[in-house]
Amino acid sequence: MVVLISTASKVQANGQLNAFRPIYYLGCKVSLTSAIRAAIDEVDPSGGRMVDLFAGTGVVASAMGASRDVTTVDVQEYSRVICSAVLRPPRLSATDTRRLSTDVAEGQFTTRLLWCLAPLMEHEHKSLIRAVQGDVDGLIELLEAPSLVLTEEFGFLDADSPLNDATSEVIRRMRAEGLWNAPETTVARNFGGVYFSYQQAALLDAALHVAARSGDDVKDGLTAVAISTASTLVNTVGKQFAQPIQPRSKSGDIKAGLVKTVQRDRSIDMSASYRSWLQKYADLIPAAGAATMLRGDYLDALTAHGKDFSVVYADPPYTRDHYSRFYHVLETMCLRDNPQISRVKKKGETTFSRGIYREERHQSPFCIRSEAPRAFDLLFGAARAHDLPLVLSYSPHEAGDGTHPRVVSMAQVIDLANAHYKRVEISVVEGMSHNKLNHNNLNLAKREHAEILLKCFC
């Protein structure tokens, strides 16, 4: 039986607008934590360990960690890193933050990498100056150019252009320094000039280098600082990583405000942003209970560890938009590998994805219409097999409301839950709406009721 909560007892969002947000994240639950905590405590009054199966940036786990032991699960490594840093923040003194900031800005590795990238940094700087003065050709060429990795392997650039000369010299220097194809230069080689300025990319690599050489007690925390800084710096619409800046409209015209946007983001002081994030993480309060962070599939986690949990919180994706597309840069930063770049077909020809997506990036079954019903069914079934009560977040869709259609309707989800649980109740959370991409064709209308909590009782 489904019990609908009456209008008078609808739950209000807590509106924690100043709560910690480690990255710009779609569907962030910061304003929902009070309602979610109340729902979890209702289905499981025991106060036992909660598992967050699609943990994202750890907002819910952090809120629950004040009163329960928590386990976070997510298939993405960047999520595990952020959750680790949020639940077990690095203990850093003022001396530590000064030393780390200096190592990132002026360390030996930083000096080597900045020297390698100097020709492109100078070319980018001059192109921006000329663009401000009205000559945008050099900036357009820079923005439309592929990453260093793709340029080195496949060419693409005009052999007589200054950009090609600068790129060739950078690659030569990196090879001479032993930094080409090295994990220490993942950001510069894959994303420099595309998502970040070349100087910003170099300093992000330096931040990851410092994190990798640090002790296990602060490694995740310092890596999280680096990816939070990247989220601040990224030169894209909406501060996501789904697509680099497109300098031209579909008609081929230069977009209005392009130069201002590029100059604004690529002029952000990476070192100052890094210092700020260091302090923000250092100021976080650790979880009161025991915290465990797992990277893996939601079903694998329930199968292997279900006996250790007392209650499940699940916030799977709702639409066709795979989250891995929006945060693939952060995933590569955490893995520090040399991913194969995915290919796409354009006008009958195969080329590389302009977003430089990882070939093997995660494709969630919850985002695929033909697979999503079974994914929900498996979720409910696996949790119920361990007699675990469950709270599911769901953002509803109504035809014509301007939002992306859900691949599974609310009615379907309720039916699937009822097939496994003795009692299912619904709470409507008012007064909030999700973060959305700031792009013309994705600028979705706000809804009065932006979230439903499905409470499943054993």
Side-chain angles (χ1 to χ4, degrees):
M1 177 179 66
V2 178
V3 179
L4 296 177
I5 304 302
S6 67
T7 302
S9 60
K10 288 177 182 175
V11 181
Q12 294 294 319
N14 50 295
Q16 294 180 5
L17 298 180
N18 295 319
F20 185 71
R21 297 172 186 255
I23 62 174
Y24 292 89
Y25 198 69
L26 296 173
C28 183
K29 295 296 185 289
V30 164
S31 62
L32 284 166
T33 53
S34 293
I36 292 170
R37 184 190 303 113
I40 290 172
D41 289 342
E42 182 181 355
V43 301
D44 177 42
S46 74
R49 178 176 287 270
M50 181 210 73
V51 59
D52 184 348
L53 290 179
F54 307 87
T57 57
V59 167
V60 172
S62 179
M64 298 305 302
S67 58
R68 290 177 180 256
D69 294 344
V70 294
T71 295
T72 66
V73 177
D74 202 289
V75 76
Q76 301 288 315
E77 174 66 5
Y78 76 82
S79 173
R80 188 204 63 78
V81 167
I82 291 176
C83 289
S84 174
V86 169
L87 293 165
R88 295 195 302 229
R91 300 295 88 194
L92 302 173
S93 65
T95 300
D96 292 331
T97 57
R98 286 194 297 271
R99 173 182 56 79
L100 290 165
S101 298
T102 300
D103 286 349
V104 169
E106 305 172 13
Q108 184 179 11
F109 172 79
T110 306
T111 302
R112 290 172 61 207
L113 185 52
L114 287 174
W115 176 78
C116 290
L117 291 172
L120 278 171
M121 289 164 52
E122 182 180 359
H123 179 82
E124 183 177 36
H125 179 66
K126 290 179 178 178
S127 296
L128 266 171
I129 290 176
R130 288 195 292 268
V132 170
Q133 296 171 344
D135 178 7
V136 299
D137 289 348
L139 179 62
I140 298 300
E141 181 189 27
L142 184 74
L143 294 175
E144 293 182 335
S147 64
L148 282 170
V149 166
L150 295 181
T151 299
E152 190 273 342
E153 188 172 354
F154 299 99
F156 297 126
L157 295 179
D158 183 346
D160 297 325
S161 74
L163 177 58
N164 182 68
D165 293 341
T167 300
S168 298
E169 176 60 16
V170 165
I171 293 172
R172 187 195 69 78
R173 292 185 182 190
M174 292 181 79
R175 289 189 183 282
E177 286 291 312
L179 294 176
W180 189 253
N181 282 338
E184 291 87 355
T185 58
T186 294
V187 182
R189 289 182 293 107
N190 286 285
F191 309 120
V194 180
Y195 287 104
F196 312 102
S197 75
Y198 285 102
Q199 182 182 47
Q200 290 170 340
L203 292 174
L204 287 171
D205 272 327
L208 293 172
H209 179 75
V210 168
R213 293 165 62 89
S214 299
D216 290 341
D217 59 328
V218 296
K219 186 174 297 183
D220 281 344
L222 296 182
T223 303
V225 169
I227 64 178
S228 291
T229 304
S231 184
T232 299
L233 300 179
V234 61
N235 181 206
T236 61
V237 175
K239 291 292 182 179
Q240 313 291 342
F241 298 91
Q243 197 68 253
I245 283 285
Q246 296 272 15
R248 305 177 192 269
S249 65
K250 291 183 178 179
S251 63
D253 297 328
I254 306 302
K255 291 183 177 178
L258 172 72
V259 175
K260 182 178 179 180
T261 299
V262 175
Q263 184 182 40
R264 179 198 65 206
D265 289 342
R266 300 199 179 197
S267 298
I268 297 173
D269 185 338
M270 185 279 179
S271 295
S273 180
Y274 179 81
R275 287 194 300 273
S276 174
W277 279 111
L278 268 178
Q279 193 59 55
K280 289 177 183 178
Y281 277 96
D283 289 342
L284 290 176
I285 299 173
T292 302
M293 286 62 64
L294 303 176
R295 177 189 173 198
D297 177 75
Y298 72 105
L299 284 179
D300 292 341
L302 285 174
T303 300
H305 305 286
K307 65 181 185 303
D308 301 323
F309 307 141
S310 181
V311 62
V312 175
Y313 173 69
D315 180 29
Y318 318 118
T319 73
R320 66 179 184 269
D321 299 315
H322 293 275
Y323 273 38
S324 60
R325 178 171 174 255
F326 296 92
Y327 307 105
H328 65 101
V329 171
L330 305 184
E331 185 72 358
T332 297
M333 288 178 66
C334 289
L335 296 176
R336 299 187 83 202
D337 58 359
N338 291 308
Q340 291 294 312
I341 307 302
S342 65
R343 292 164 169 78
V344 295
K345 277 196 173 183
K346 292 183 179 179
K347 298 179 180 179
E349 294 186 1
T350 300
T351 186
F352 293 93
S353 61
R354 189 169 184 274
I356 318 179
Y357 307 129
R358 301 175 63 88
E359 178 119 322
E360 79 288 4
R361 67 184 177 88
H362 178 62
Q363 304 289 297
S364 173
F366 291 93
C367 297
I368 302 170
R369 189 173 297 277
S370 61
E371 299 180 20
R374 183 170 184 270
F376 275 105
D377 187 56
L378 290 172
L379 167 62
F380 292 128
R384 188 66 179 89
H386 290 282
D387 290 325
L388 296 173
L390 182 149
V391 172
L392 177 82
S393 284
Y394 187 90
S395 182
H397 163 81
E398 297 294 337
D401 72 356
T403 66
H404 278 178
R406 279 37 181 160
V407 295
V408 177
S409 70
M410 189 72 242
Q412 286 177 286
V413 174
I414 292 171
D415 286 343
L416 290 166
N418 271 317
H420 295 278
Y421 282 92
K422 294 179 180 178
R423 188 168 102 249
V424 176
E425 296 183 1
I426 291 175
S427 291
V428 176
V429 184
E430 291 187 320
M432 58 80 64
S433 60
H434 285 314
N435 293 332
K436 295 180 278 289
L437 289 182
N438 182 21
H439 192 282
N440 287 339
N441 63 350
L442 291 177
N443 190 14
L444 308 177
K446 291 184 179 180
R447 288 147 289 158
E448 180 184 357
H449 307 312
E451 197 81 6
I452 285 176
L453 299 179
L454 202 69
K455 298 178 292 187
C456 303
F457 296 81
C458 292

